[in-house]
């Protein structure tokens, strides 16, 4: 026991971390089929155009999913209009708030079930869905419940009135949380909604529809239709939709903006990103290593605000990358239902192809590639080990384009001006992080970074009271906080 450190037997990290499995034990029955929730009823949808929903960690089919066509979308919009003009539009804000509180409480009560559904559907580790996605979704409903009877105080001297029927289209990376970001402020403001989950992650929205029934939300206030891009386009293009709220990729955001150009529709766009971490030599380095890893690897890089670029001061770059590698080599990849798992599965075969194609592009661009983990991924399923790219430059595609996978590109800087220039040299502007031990520098650099959200000595920190959103090709409009209410309100004098 008292051997000098150099005489102690050294375990390889992988051996030291050969943990016993710790599978989530709660049992949840998955639905065989996911349909639509229209006018307060769960309906199976048409027999045609059904598609399989695949578990990304095993490639097994979880269930089938219905595709809503224009007629079904039309029924959902009609139900939303009826509720907007009727029961929901005429209800007091205080009473609307009570429904939001009930939804929040029910999400908490069913937290374990929702976390399991999300993990099976999305492939992200149960630790994340249990400790972040589900509680944060509940927190958004709690937060906006408090606003429902205070709409006349959103902007002094103005009265807050609902916009009407909102068409909301969301991605697969935070399915329940994105639904909460969309629904909670819209409902608090007195609007009604037609929501479309992403085609590869319909399960938690389906469970949410059951929750809406359980809390007896009046029929038509929220409608959920499933399907892929054509269903999304039918919602966005429906003439009786007053507001479009989209979260997804920048290319699809552009298509939607073209589609609704010239119409009376309002819009908010939460699009892609290429977040930068700027790490100065005087930064708290262990904290920065954790922040960088949390910012890109813990959700397989499936985060719009992922810190996918590391811009590190040249004097510490090699040492910092070595620290990163050491920590990454301790991360466990595999079964997302195991509580020991750090890195889950890539959400779909298609996304796996995209990530792998960028890794190939990095090779062709001459990058030095390093991949690590504590263990080998399972044979079945869609996996990418955390990947570091060094020897890259600002002009490389892997530094400029959104990969949406666990791939971190590393570039260096010598002066603060160079760091800011490199961080801002992007068509996106969603998120950025700065790491330094000098507070004056933190403030100076944070102000100089062109991004909707900037974290200082931290990353991926969220609070329902705090607005989130992008600039440039990362979109416009904010979700969260009082700013998240503005797009859902007509502010009258
Ligand atoms: P995606 O753009 O492919 O799809 C998003 C949603 O749009 C899906 O529901 C899809 O079915 C639907 N859709 C596709 N084509 C459509 C069309 N023509 N009209 C209407 N709807 C259509 O994005 P994705 O792959 O699901 O998600 C990943 C992207 O989302 C990344 O770019 C990520 O950065 C972005 N994202 C942004 C934020 C943010 O807050 N800014 C948050 C999460 C994800």
């Amino acid at each position: 026991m008292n051997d000098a450190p150099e005489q102690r037997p050294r375990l390889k990290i992988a051996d030291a971390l050969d943990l016993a499995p710790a599978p989530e034990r709660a049992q949840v029955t998955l639905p065989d089929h996911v349909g639509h929730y229209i006018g307060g009823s769960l309906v199976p949808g048409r027999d045609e155009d059904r598609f399989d929903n695949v578990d990304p960690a095993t490639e097994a089919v979880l269930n089938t999913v219905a595709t809503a066509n224009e007629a079904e979308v039309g029924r959902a919009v009609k139900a939303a209009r009826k509720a907007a003009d009727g029961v929901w539009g005429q209800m007091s804000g205080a009473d609307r708030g009570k429904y939001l509180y009930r939804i929040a409480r029910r999400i908490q009560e069913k937290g374990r079930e929702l976390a399991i559904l999300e993990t099976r559907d999305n492939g992200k580790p149960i630790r994340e869905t249990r400790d972040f996605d589900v509680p944060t979704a509940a927190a958004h409903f709690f937060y906006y419940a408090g606003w429902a009877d205070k709409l006349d105080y959103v902007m002094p001297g103005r009265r807050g009135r609902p916009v009407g029927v909102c068409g909301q289209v969301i991605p697969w990376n935070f399915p329940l949380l994105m639904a909460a970001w969309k629904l909670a402020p819209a409902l608090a403001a007195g609007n009604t909604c037609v929501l479309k989950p992403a085609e590869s992650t319909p399960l938690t929205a389906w469970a949410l529809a059951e929750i809406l029934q359980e809390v007896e939300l009046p029929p038509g206030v929220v409608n959920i239709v499933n399907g892929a891009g054509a269903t999304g386009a039918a919602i966005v293009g429906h003439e009786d939709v007053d507001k479009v709220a989209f979260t997804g990729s920048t290319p699809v955001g552009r298509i939607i903006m073209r589609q609704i150009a010239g119409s009376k529709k309002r819009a908010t766009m939460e699009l892609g990103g290429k977040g930068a971490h700027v790490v100065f030599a005087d930064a708290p380095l262990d904290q920065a290593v954790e922040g960088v890893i949390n910012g890109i690897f813990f959700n397989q890089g499936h985060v719009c605000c992922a810190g996918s670029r590391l811009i590190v001061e040249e004097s510490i770059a090699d040492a910092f990358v070595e620290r990163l590698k050491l920590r990454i080599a301790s991360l466990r990849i595999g079964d997302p239902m195991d509580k020991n798992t750090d890195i889950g599965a890539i959400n779909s075969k298609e996304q796996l192809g995209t990530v792998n194609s960028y890794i190939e592009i990095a090779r062709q661009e001459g990058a030095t590639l390093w991949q690590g983990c504590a263990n080998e991924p399972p044979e079945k399923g869609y996996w990418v080990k955390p990947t570091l790219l060094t020897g890259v430059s600002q002009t490389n595609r892997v530094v400029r384009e959104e990969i949406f996978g666990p791939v971190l590109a590393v570039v260096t800087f010598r002066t603060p001006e160079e760091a800011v220039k490199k961080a801002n040299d992007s068509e996106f502007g969603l998120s950025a992080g700065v790491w330094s031990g000098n507070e004056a520098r933190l403030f100076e650099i944070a102000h100089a970074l062109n991004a909707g959200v900037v974290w200082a000595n931290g990353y991926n920190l969220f609070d329902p009271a705090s607005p989130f959103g992008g600039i440039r090709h990362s979109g416009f409009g904010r979700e969260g906080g009082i700013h998240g209410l503005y797009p859902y309100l007509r502010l009258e004098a």
Side-chain angles (χ1 to χ4, degrees):
M1 288 297 270
N2 295 324
D3 294 342
E6 63 279 7
Q7 290 167 345
R8 286 183 199 143
R10 293 186 75 95
L11 282 175
K12 281 202 303 199
I13 284 182
D15 297 339
L17 291 170
D18 194 7
L19 306 174
E24 168 65 52
R25 287 190 192 282
Q27 300 292 319
V28 170
T29 310
L30 267 56
D32 294 332
H33 175 70
V34 171
H36 316 300
Y37 176 59
I38 299 177
S41 301
L42 293 163
V43 295
R46 294 167 305 116
D47 288 340
E48 303 87 63
D49 304 335
R50 289 187 175 190
F51 58 94
D52 288 340
N53 180 26
V54 173
D55 179 346
T58 62
E59 298 177 50
V61 174
L62 294 173
N63 49 260
T64 54
V65 187
T67 298
N69 62 10
E70 282 194 11
E72 285 160 312
V73 167
R75 280 204 285 284
V77 174
K78 199 170 169 191
R81 174 61 62 196
K82 192 172 168 204
D85 292 345
V87 59
W88 197 245
Q90 287 158 19
M91 193 181 285
S92 72
D95 283 345
R96 280 201 315 274
K98 287 179 196 163
Y99 281 102
L100 272 87
Y101 278 121
R102 278 187 217 162
I103 296 168
R105 291 293 304 276
R106 199 70 189 120
I107 290 175
Q108 286 184 321
E109 285 161 8
K110 294 181 116 175
R112 209 66 177 204
E113 175 183 339
L114 290 165
I116 291 169
L117 292 176
E118 199 77 299
T119 286
R120 297 292 305 277
D121 217 8
N122 172 283
K124 67 170 83 175
I126 187 78
R127 250 177 21 210
E128 268 186 56
T129 54
R130 185 196 61 191
D131 298 347
F132 178 74
D133 296 54
V134 175
T136 316
H140 270 79
F141 279 102
F142 275 124
Y143 173 78
Y144 281 109
W147 271 113
D149 61 351
K150 302 178 191 66
L151 299 180
D152 290 344
Y153 305 96
V154 167
M155 195 169 278
R158 310 279 291 275
R159 285 153 52 102
R161 291 285 170 265
V163 168
V165 174
C166 303
Q168 305 177 317
V169 178
I170 56 173
W172 45 260
N173 60 339
F174 290 92
L176 182 67
L177 185 56
M178 290 299 111
W181 279 20
K182 294 275 177 283
L183 296 175
L187 299 185
N191 301 285
T192 59
C193 304
V194 176
L195 175 87
K196 190 193 88 61
E199 50 272 39
S200 62
T201 50
L203 285 181
T204 43
W206 190 240
L208 185 62
E210 279 175 11
I211 288 177
L212 301 180
Q213 284 191 324
E214 287 161 5
V215 305
E216 297 174 1
L217 188 75
V221 175
V222 172
N223 305 273
I224 299 173
V225 291
N226 278 293
T231 304
I235 296 172
V236 166
H238 195 290
E239 59 176 16
D240 207 23
V241 164
D242 299 298
K243 175 184 160 42
V244 171
F246 174 71
T247 298
S249 63
T250 298
V252 173
R254 285 193 189 111
I255 293 172
I256 293 174
M257 287 306 289
R258 275 187 220 112
Q259 189 183 356
I260 63 174
S263 76
K264 64 173 173 49
K265 293 180 207 294
R266 295 177 173 220
T268 40
M269 295 278 141
E270 302 286 350
L271 309 177
K274 191 75 183 176
H277 283 278
V278 175
V279 180
F280 285 93
D282 64 358
L285 293 183
D286 287 337
Q287 205 179 316
V289 165
E290 283 307 308
V292 170
I293 286 176
N294 170 24
I296 179 79
F297 296 130
F298 280 163
N299 196 10
Q300 302 83 251
H302 294 342
V303 189
C304 51
C305 51
S308 50
R309 293 181 292 151
L310 168 62
I311 303 176
V312 55
E313 193 157 353
E314 194 178 276
S315 58
I316 60 156
D318 290 346
F320 193 78
V321 168
E322 284 314 306
R323 279 188 192 224
L324 275 179
K325 288 180 180 172
L326 197 64
R327 178 71 178 96
I328 293 169
S330 73
L331 300 178
R332 299 184 63 80
I333 193 168
D335 182 4
M337 292 290 283
D338 187 322
K339 294 189 264 321
N340 293 325
T341 294
D342 300 300
I343 313 280
I346 300 290
N347 178 249
S348 64
K349 195 174 184 179
E350 189 190 4
Q351 188 60 19
L352 178 70
T354 304
V355 178
N356 282 335
S357 74
Y358 272 105
I359 289 176
E360 185 49 38
I361 289 168
R363 280 201 184 91
Q364 288 164 12
E365 287 182 323
T368 304
L369 198 119
W370 181 91
Q371 290 188 306
C373 250
N375 58 314
E376 287 304 310
E379 276 179 21
K380 280 258 178 193
Y382 312 134
W383 310 98
V384 176
K385 286 185 184 180
T387 305
L388 286 182
L389 304 176
T390 49
V392 290
S393 74
Q394 290 297 108
T395 53
N396 289 153
R397 285 183 62 191
V398 289
V399 178
R400 310 201 68 79
E401 297 175 17
E402 184 182 45
I403 299 174
F404 221 56
V407 182
L408 178 66
V410 185
V411 293
T412 62
F413 69 89
R414 287 186 183 169
T415 64
E417 294 73 25
E418 186 187 355
V420 170
K421 206 171 166 191
K422 284 185 168 167
N424 289 344
D425 178 20
S426 169
E427 68 164 334
F428 298 107
L430 189 56
S431 58
V434 49
W435 299 84
S436 167
N438 177 330
E439 284 182 20
R441 170 172 281 167
L442 284 178
F443 279 103
E444 187 187 326
I445 302 297
H447 280 292
L449 293 172
N450 287 336
V453 185
V454 181
W455 289 286
N457 286 350
Y459 207 82
N460 274 356
L461 303 170
F462 288 90
D463 188 285
S466 180
F468 181 88
I471 57 172
R472 303 196 281 206
H473 289 278
S474 292
F476 55 86
R478 293 292 177 266
E479 293 188 312
I482 189 172
H483 299 80
L485 276 175
Y486 295 149
Y488 289 104
L489 284 175
R490 284 185 290 118
L491 291 165
E492 294 174 349

